[in-house]
Amino acid sequence: MPQTFFDALAVRTWCSLSLRALGRAREEIDAINVYPVADGDTGTNLYLTLESAATAVEAVFAGYETGRAEPSLGDAARAMAHGALIGARGNSGTILAQLLRGMAQVLAEAGECSAADESSAASRADGPGLRLALRRAADSARQAVAHPVEGTVLTVASAAADAAEEAGDDCRTVARAAYEGARAALAATPDQLGVLRRAGVVDAGGRGLVTVLGALVEAVTGEAVRETAGGVSGARSAGPAESAGPAGSAGHGAGAAGRSAGTAGHGAGSAGTGATGDGTEPACQDEDEDGGGRGEAGGPAFEVIYLLEADDAAVARLRARLDALGDSLVVVGGDGLWNVHVHVDDAGAAVEAGVEAGRPYRIRITHFGHGEPHPGRERPSRAPAQRAVVAVVPGEGLAGLYGEAGATTVLARPGEPPASGELVQAVRRAHAREVVLLPNDAELRHTAAAAAEQVRTEGIRVALIPTRSAVQGIAALAVHEPRRRFDEDVVQMTAAAGATRYAEVVVAERRSWTTAGICQAGDVLGLIDGDVAVIGTDVTATARTVLDRMLQSGGELVTLVVGEEAPETVAAHLEARVRESYLAVDTMVYHGGRQGALLLIGVE
């Protein structure tokens, strides 16, 4: 049903609809990405950023207190902004995260005010509140840029806010006005930016924002914007078969913001710098007829992205340092957590600057290789392989091991599980007709299933083996034989994984109840097949007890994957234990690096 207010459920529905709409428009937006770097990933980056935001909102709904109908508007809005910030990808995703952060600040304030009002039944924002949120979003994104360039997503965001200010006072008219204003601004972007005009496209980041605003219209009106061959116009009622939104939410239809007749370059934002970007003035950019966008020729060699824990003063110094190192600089966030994005020739110097400012983590470095295929696209000069294995691994050491065995890997850092979009990209990167997918984590099974379903629509044959640990994945990979029939190979790999018991040794972060009793923060826990079986105080002793219990029922091969924080002697001690106490049992030891668990154990 349409609604005249904006609450937590509306945030949830909007995120769900936006994600679905961006999923449909992703390839089109990627294809028209020409500014500032024609790297064909704007649609993908926007999708992955929104996926992180939607996941964070779902987590809030899943964990709300018993007896409450739903979380507050502030809870949902802040989760959306935080999810987008930590999951932001590329220039376009970082700017989208800042836009959502600006909206969340106003929505949270409005929700708290309405909840404090005794006459209000729930935490919600009205039309004027949504209008103010759109204005804060546009202004906060523009203020993060030292030298804004018109014809980018910043222009589209400002036009949306301007149009909303002229609308009525209910959420439906505000959302419709913002969408129509953004759509009109998007159509005008080629007249404002020469690189778009020469390519005959509109701005790709702006195109993505129009898609997100189209989903906002659907979330509050129950009507999906209509797609046409030449763009998006009008609206149509969502039919019964088009219901969207996550289970338990009031979805309003699956209509997506429509596809423009080609849109262009995402650009990068810049916070406090004149670097190239989405809404920024590109270095060496000449906007006459002979001018070209950054990335058409030359330019920095690397894209560097990381999250940063630092105070405001340190971030101000960091911006100045990175501005001198490169371009396409975007630094967004606040309250001690920032997302940093920059294009540089010296990637190490960009990371070192982050170390000097605070604590950088989740560091991603991408090389803009000449002649490399655009992200998400296949190499036209290389025929697909017949079969490949794609595996999620918890640390750099295992990534190397899996890679040596021929697998395409997705790194899952501690506390940062990959999203389905990352798995889809990995399957595409494997470039094979048949793919075996190893999630190596029980909690990733549904994410992996969603990724498999998506790539099947592209004609790729995918088999998901429900591995729950990286040691099960090692066992499956050991019997992988590409020359076998696909079904037979999958059966053999599944059998090997299923015949491998798995365990891990970790340190408890807090006091809690477990299947082995009450543990205290700092205790050493031994988990067997996912359940806590041993609580101890010493890593080596706990690991030995776990291993003994696993081998009581027999075994032929013990696999040990040692984390970087485990005691140096633990592997040697366990190897000696197996050699002395269990005849005819072999042991293999690998070093997993920073993998979350101190030790992974597999027994086949």
Side-chain angles (χ1 to χ4, degrees):
M1 293 290 294
Q3 56 188 60
T4 57
F5 55 84
F6 206 75
D7 59 4
L9 188 57
V11 172
R12 185 188 197 188
T13 304
W14 180 32
C15 286
S16 175
L17 293 170
S18 295
L19 185 62
R20 189 171 299 183
L22 285 172
R24 285 193 289 268
R26 180 189 62 78
E27 291 186 359
E28 174 211 333
I29 298 174
D30 282 348
I32 47 75
N33 170 199
V34 300
Y35 176 84
V37 180
D39 50 359
D41 64 355
T42 292
T44 298
N45 287 336
L46 289 170
Y47 179 87
L48 293 175
T49 301
L50 209 291
E51 184 177 46
S52 181
T55 299
V57 172
E58 285 301 305
V60 167
F61 271 83
Y64 68 85
E65 297 176 6
T66 303
R68 289 179 58 186
E70 62 183 43
S72 70
L73 173 58
D75 290 339
R78 282 187 287 265
M80 173 185 69
H82 181 73
L85 179 67
I86 65 173
R89 299 299 185 90
N91 303 336
S92 53
T94 307
I95 291 298
L96 176 61
Q98 185 72 353
L99 290 167
L100 295 180
R101 177 180 172 82
M103 288 194 70
Q105 290 171 338
V106 174
L107 293 176
E109 293 170 2
E112 290 166 1
C113 289
S114 67
D117 184 350
E118 293 182 0
S119 64
S120 176
S123 171
R124 59 181 59 171
D126 54 11
L130 182 57
R131 180 189 303 130
L132 182 60
L134 291 165
R135 171 53 61 194
R136 178 77 65 84
D139 290 349
S140 64
R142 188 170 286 270
Q143 290 166 5
V145 177
H147 304 283
V149 167
E150 299 307 324
T152 65
V153 66
L154 296 182
T155 304
V156 176
S158 294
D162 292 343
E165 288 180 348
E166 304 298 323
D169 287 339
D170 68 86
C171 288
R172 291 171 293 185
T173 57
V174 170
R176 285 185 183 277
Y179 169 70
E180 293 296 340
R183 196 164 64 90
L186 176 66
T189 55
D191 297 329
Q192 298 172 295
L193 201 54
V195 63
L196 305 180
R197 182 170 61 252
R198 287 185 293 276
V201 294
V202 295
D203 180 69
R207 170 67 174 90
L209 181 58
V210 168
T211 299
V212 172
L213 291 174
L216 177 62
V217 172
E218 186 176 357
V220 298
T221 68
E223 297 179 335
V225 296
R226 185 171 64 243
E227 300 181 3
T228 65
V232 285
S233 62
R236 57 179 172 81
S237 296
E242 296 175 306
S243 64
S249 71
H252 299 301
R259 305 181 181 226
S260 300
T263 53
H266 58 81
S270 168
T273 144
T276 307
D278 206 350
T280 68
E281 181 177 355
C284 305
Q285 170 81 27
D286 180 1
E287 279 308 306
D288 62 22
E289 287 300 314
D290 295 326
R294 225 300 270 122
E296 291 186 10
F302 297 97
E303 177 186 58
V304 178
I305 305 173
Y306 51 81
L307 293 177
L308 178 70
E309 293 179 356
D311 58 34
D312 291 1
V315 169
R317 294 190 296 271
L318 174 67
R319 284 172 173 159
R321 173 103 180 259
L322 293 179
D323 187 21
L325 286 175
D327 61 30
S328 293
L329 176 61
V330 189
V331 182
V332 300
D335 302 320
L337 180 63
W338 309 82
N339 190 300
V340 179
H341 170 284
V342 67
H343 293 174
V344 293
D345 280 322
D346 189 344
V351 175
E352 288 173 6
V355 172
E356 292 179 4
R359 187 179 78 88
Y361 61 101
R362 201 169 182 172
I363 300 167
R364 297 186 181 92
I365 300 174
T366 303
H367 180 247
F368 294 126
H370 296 292
E372 288 296 308
H374 292 170
R377 302 183 186 178
E378 297 178 351
R379 296 177 186 265
S381 59
R382 178 167 66 92
Q386 181 61 34
R387 191 174 307 159
V389 176
V390 173
V392 180
V393 293
E396 291 85 353
L398 281 178
L401 173 66
Y402 274 74
E404 290 174 3
T408 298
T409 60
V410 178
L411 190 61
R413 297 175 177 85
E416 301 171 15
S420 62
E422 292 179 82
L423 300 185
V424 169
Q425 289 296 96
V427 171
R428 293 187 181 125
R429 193 167 70 247
H431 198 48
R433 299 182 183 91
E434 302 168 340
V435 173
V436 179
L437 185 55
L438 306 175
N440 290 341
D441 187 332
E443 295 184 0
L444 284 178
R445 183 172 180 177
H446 295 299
T447 301
E453 188 64 27
Q454 181 174 341
V455 295
R456 286 186 187 115
T457 64
E458 303 173 11
I460 302 173
R461 190 179 184 189
V462 181
L464 171 61
I465 297 178
T467 49
R468 294 171 290 173
S469 170
V471 291
Q472 289 188 322
I474 291 173
L477 196 57
V479 300
H480 170 53
E481 178 48 70
R483 289 186 293 272
R484 277 196 295 246
R485 288 187 305 106
F486 184 64
D487 291 340
E488 183 182 349
D489 196 30
V490 170
V491 168
Q492 294 296 326
M493 294 177 71
T494 302
T500 302
R501 301 189 68 193
Y502 65 96
E504 58 182 323
V505 177
V506 300
V507 175
E509 296 181 354
R510 63 184 66 87
R511 184 178 187 271
S512 61
W513 289 89
T514 76
T515 52
I518 300 176
C519 72
Q520 306 295 330
D523 282 349
V524 181
L525 307 181
L527 292 82
I528 299 177
D529 294 336
D531 294 324
V532 177
V534 181
I535 300 176
T537 57
D538 178 76
V539 174
T540 301
T542 302
R544 183 177 64 248
T545 301
V546 168
L547 183 59
D548 285 340
R549 291 193 183 184
M550 295 179 74
L551 286 172
Q552 282 176 358
S553 56
E556 298 177 357
L557 175 65
V558 171
T559 300
L560 305 175
V561 183
V562 185
E564 67 177 7
E565 296 181 358
E568 295 182 358
T569 59
V570 66
H573 180 90
L574 296 178
E575 280 188 287
R577 176 69 174 175
V578 172
R579 185 169 56 250
E580 295 167 2
S581 303
Y582 302 96
L583 299 178
V585 177
D586 294 325
T587 305
M588 297 292 294
V589 179
Y590 304 104
H591 293 280
R594 184 171 177 265
Q595 61 183 21
L598 298 174
L599 180 70
L600 299 177
I601 304 173
V603 174
E604 299 179 45

